[in-house]
């Protein structure tokens, strides 16, 4: 692989694929050049098309020359190393360690929140009753926002002051809080405003709305774990072929 090889990011439908949003936002906001390839969920041969690029038959997946990277957080880590000028992790050692910790927690946790409030950027839903598990997940997310902003947010409006991979990892959760009218505190409300006002986030949201306008009944591909999780949301809203 040469450093001049173009990056190719393969993603799912933008209203649905929260895992796709994460590296896409990190790369777009970080000014990392890449070619976007959307594989729409409504394609009858979606899994076969994804299998041409991804060893897991899931999105997102990044190709950089001969290098193939799957899983959202791994893609973000790879891009941070390949393009240090994007400054995708905080500079301070403590802040960087905490940013990696909360990003990993987002990657592996919050199962009840994912299942009950799947990402649905283009729609708004009435506030709904959630399980105790989802309520704990929401409380933990809001606690992370408060803690990171208080400890590391003095240099800017993001979780660690400047934009980082941690913000990309939590951006889909921000959209959930808004889509389902979740009661949030002032810190979370201000942070949500920062994330949704990013030019890259606005472009993604506009594309998501266009997808829904074209196909209001779009769902995740048959057989994906997300399809089973998203049954409570109109139109099977939000997530990737792996999980939201």
């Amino acid at each position: 692989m040469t450093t001049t090889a173009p990056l190719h990011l393969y993603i799912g439908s933008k209203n649905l694929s929260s895992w796709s949003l994460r590296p896409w936002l990190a790369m777009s906001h970080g000014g990392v050049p890449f070619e976007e390839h959307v594989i729409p969920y409504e394609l009858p041969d979606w899994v076969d098309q994804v299998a041409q690029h991804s060893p897991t038959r899931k999105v997102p997946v990044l190709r950089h020359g001969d290098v193939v990277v799957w899983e959202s957080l791994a893609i973000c880590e790879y891009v941070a190393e390949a393009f240090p000028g994007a400054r995708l992790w905080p500079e301070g050692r403590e802040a960087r360690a905490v940013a990696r910790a909360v990003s990993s927690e987002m990657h592996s946790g919050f199962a009840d929140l994912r299942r009950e409030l799947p990402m649905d950027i283009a729609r708004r839903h009435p506030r709904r009753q959630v399980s105790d598990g989802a309520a704990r997940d929401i409380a933990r997310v809001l606690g992370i926002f408060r803690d990171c902003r208080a400890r590391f947010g003095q240099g800017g409006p993001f979780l660690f002051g400047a934009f980082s991979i941690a913000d990309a990892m939590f951006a889909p959760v921000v959209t959930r809080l808004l889509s389902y009218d979740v009661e949030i505190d002032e810190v979370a409300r201000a942070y949500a405003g920062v994330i949704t006002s990013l030019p890259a986030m606005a472009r993604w949201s506009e594309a998501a709305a266009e997808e829904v306008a074209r196909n209001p009944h779009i769902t995740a591909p048959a057989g994906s774990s997300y399809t089973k999780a998203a049954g409570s949301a109109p139109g099977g809203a939000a997530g990737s072929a792996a999980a939201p």
Side-chain angles (χ1 to χ4, degrees), residues 49-63:
Q49 294 229 14
V50 172
Q52 297 176 30
H53 310 287
S54 171
T56 62
R57 300 161 68 93
K58 298 174 183 177
V59 291
V61 63
L62 178 74
R63 286 184 171 265

Side-chain angles (χ1 to χ4, degrees), residues 132-145:
D132 290 344
R136 286 192 295 270
D137 285 349
I138 292 169
R140 173 59 184 154
V141 166
L142 299 183
I144 288 172
F145 290 173

Side-chain angles (χ1 to χ4, degrees), residues 9-220:
L9 183 66
Y10 296 86
I11 60 176
S13 296
K14 290 185 175 179
N15 191 52
L16 309 181
S17 186
S18 57
W19 287 118
S20 295
L21 169 58
R22 291 174 167 113
W24 186 96
L25 182 60
M27 296 165 70
S28 296
H29 186 78
V32 176
F34 68 98
E35 295 185 27
E36 168 192 309
H37 305 273
V38 178
I39 306 177
Y41 280 165
E42 61 264 33
L43 293 177
D45 60 343
W46 187 88
V47 174
D48 292 335
Q49 294 229 14
V50 172
Q52 297 176 30
H53 310 287
S54 171
T56 62
R57 300 161 68 93
K58 298 174 183 177
V59 291
V61 63
L62 178 74
R63 286 184 171 265
H64 188 197
D66 296 330
V67 176
V68 179
V69 188
W70 58 98
E71 295 291 342
S72 296
L73 186 52
I75 294 171
C76 290
E77 286 275 18
Y78 176 82
V79 171
E81 291 185 7
F83 297 88
R87 302 169 70 122
L88 289 176
W89 285 122
E91 292 185 4
R93 183 172 63 181
E94 180 184 0
R96 190 165 60 250
V98 174
R100 281 195 161 105
V102 298
S103 295
S104 296
E105 183 179 356
M106 181 71 259
H107 188 268
S108 62
F110 305 101
D112 292 316
L113 172 58
R114 299 176 194 278
R115 182 177 60 254
E116 297 178 35
L117 303 179
M119 191 178 82
D120 192 3
I121 291 180
R123 300 182 178 94
R124 292 295 178 265
H125 304 274
R127 186 172 297 178
R128 60 176 62 175
Q129 187 71 29
V130 298
S131 69
D132 290 344
R136 286 192 295 270
D137 285 349
I138 292 169
R140 173 59 184 154
V141 166
L142 299 183
I144 288 172
F145 290 173
R146 289 193 299 270
D147 180 64
C148 292
R149 289 291 302 142
R151 293 169 61 192
F152 306 109
Q154 291 77 15
F158 299 100
L159 292 179
F160 294 86
F163 180 88
S164 74
I165 289 171
D167 299 294
M169 292 300 292
F170 279 90
V173 178
V174 166
T175 72
R176 287 172 165 88
L177 298 176
L178 300 176
S179 291
Y180 296 93
D181 190 29
V182 175
E183 185 175 356
I184 58 178
D185 57 32
E186 292 184 6
V187 172
R189 190 173 300 108
Y191 178 62
V194 169
I195 292 298
T196 56
S197 66
L198 291 175
M201 194 69 202
R203 294 197 303 273
W204 180 282
S205 298
E206 289 170 4
E210 291 172 2
E211 287 177 355
V212 173
R214 291 194 306 268
N215 186 353
H217 305 294
I218 185 172
T219 62

